Amino acid sequence: MHPYLSHLECPICHRHYRLEEVTYTCPTCGEAGTLDIVYDYERLRQDITPEQISAQTAPESLNLWRYRPLLPVLDDAFIPPLHIGWTPLLRAPRLAAALEVKEIWLKDEGRNPTASLKDRASAMVAARAAEIGAEVITTASSGNAAAALAGVCASVGIRCVIFVPHTAPQAKITQLLVYGATVFLVKGTYDDAFDLSVQAAKEYGWYCRNTGMNPFTTEGKKTAAFEIAEQLGWTAPDVILVSVGDGNIIAGQYKGFYDLYQMGWIDRMPRLIGVQAEGSSSMVRAWAEERDPVSMTVEPATTVADSISVGLPRDRVKAMRAVRATNGSYLSVPDTAILAAIPELARAAGVFAEPAASTVLAGLHRALETGLVGHQERVALLITGHGLKDIKSAIASVEAEGKIAHPVEPSMDGVRQLAKELGLA
Ligand SMILES: *Cc1c(COP(=O)(O)O)cnc(C)c1O
Ligand SMILES: [Zn+2]
């Protein structure tokens, strides 16, 4: 028994379930009813203080398991050994000066073992899989969730079967193979891969990690919010920009700050702004038209930011709640702005992001222009994945501005000539 875990709750019909009772989504509401895992905040508040959490300074506690009482894991024996979480929250003064913003913080999630925020969710799902004795875990993924699952599974010796669209960047597919996953390269979209993985999980009795569908994913991702608050001395930034595909990351940030707010460890919720690519922006449209996310259907999705190329956001109900309940907003940015933000972020802060991560910087520009974010605010950007994940897009981003490497003859004469041409001498 978990001392603080209370129940599962559907965000649509608000029915409660016991943890053992339901594995995936709400039996009444179906696939849109992605469940919340709810804790006994009253008891947590009595038993645990933020000072106790922050007093954990030993190297083995500098990871996401430092929030163990607030995580849905029953036994330490099931915790995977990889170092996941406790990524740096970097101050970005040069970027802040360039954008004339008071403070910008970068949560550098590329620093996780498989180089994206998805490691947090996969760690939680793998721990749950071990608890229930699952022998095979499956997932659909645009790439990063799969790489994270493959890495974590390798660390604990659980088999994993991945459904990934054939268009996923080569680095991500290579990660899967290197970690030893079995890869079904789907000749279709992420949404096709999602449906296939659900059917295969059912047919073969595999445990399914799918984003949103598996309630443990949000619980893993919420630890990024815990860390941001702790790294800011148990305060919340004014606003956080989060890129949105399935909406599970933004739902996770909401859940993390919600947990902390319920316990009184932070005194207000940050505004959450969801940023999508124009070519994959169904949440932005649903938000603008005030549509009920439950009734959304698959729409065409194309963007250079493969990690957020999603036709039907699986965690749309919680993703809409995250923005609505925090007085936030949704906005979209074009692929050209997403690509331009890669070198911009790298040069202003030394952080190399994949397109789905640089998306939030493009979104910040937009939000400052439209007044959605004020220049006096404390802003955090969730940099969800590393730039080396998608070299093709990185190359496109520098080619677009005409930046090249300069060929030079192997002699000092050659160097001198080039230095002169470049105005260095
Ligand atoms: C998965 C992912 C996202 C989007 O997360 P969702 O939960 O699908 O909204 C953003 N950036 C990166 C790098 C990702 O891997
Ligand atoms: Zn329900």
Side-chain angles (χ1 to χ4, degrees), residues 10 13 26 28-29:
C10 174
C13 70
C26 175
T28 305
C29 299

Side-chain angles (χ1 to χ4, degrees), residues 115-118 142-145 172 190 211 221 242-250 307-308 310 315 354 356-357 383-386:
S116 86
L117 184 144
K118 298 295 199 298
S142 56
N144 284 339
K172 297 182 184 179
Y190 167 63
T211 296
K221 290 174 180 179
V242 183
S243 56
V244 173
D246 272 320
N248 188 246
I249 294 181
I250 199 165
S307 301
I308 51 172
V310 174
D315 219 358
E354 70 165 274
I383 308 300
T384 42
H386 199 283

Side-chain angles (χ1 to χ4, degrees), residues 261-278:
Y261 186 67
Q262 290 305 309
M263 295 185 301
W265 292 11
I266 55 172
D267 62 9
R268 67 195 163 90
M269 297 286 287
R271 291 195 330 279
L272 294 173
I273 295 182
V275 187
Q276 294 200 291
E278 275 178 4

Side-chain angles (χ1 to χ4, degrees), residues 139-180:
T139 196
S141 168
S142 56
N144 284 339
L149 184 63
V152 174
C153 280
S155 80
V156 292
I158 297 181
R159 215 169 148 189
C160 75
V161 180
I162 305 297
F163 292 81
V164 68
H166 67 114
T167 48
Q170 204 179 15
K172 297 182 184 179
I173 295 171
T174 305
Q175 278 186 295
L176 303 175
L177 300 171
V178 168
Y179 284 125

Side-chain angles (χ1 to χ4, degrees), residues 2-9 19 36-45 67-74 124 215-216 218-220 222-223 226 255-256 258-260 262-263:
H2 191 294
Y4 303 107
L5 200 156
S6 172
H7 59 271
L8 303 177
E9 185 170 336
L19 184 61
D36 282 311
I37 298 184
V38 181
Y39 297 81
D40 184 341
Y41 298 110
E42 198 51 53
R43 289 200 46 218
L44 274 164
R45 197 204 297 251
Y67 308 106
R68 188 77 168 66
L70 280 150
L71 300 177
V73 173
L74 305 183
M124 214 57 61
F216 286 81
T218 336
E219 289 297 298
K222 78 178 182 182
T223 58
F226 288 175
K255 179 58 158 55
Y258 176 87
D259 282 354
L260 299 180
Q262 290 305 309
M263 295 185 301

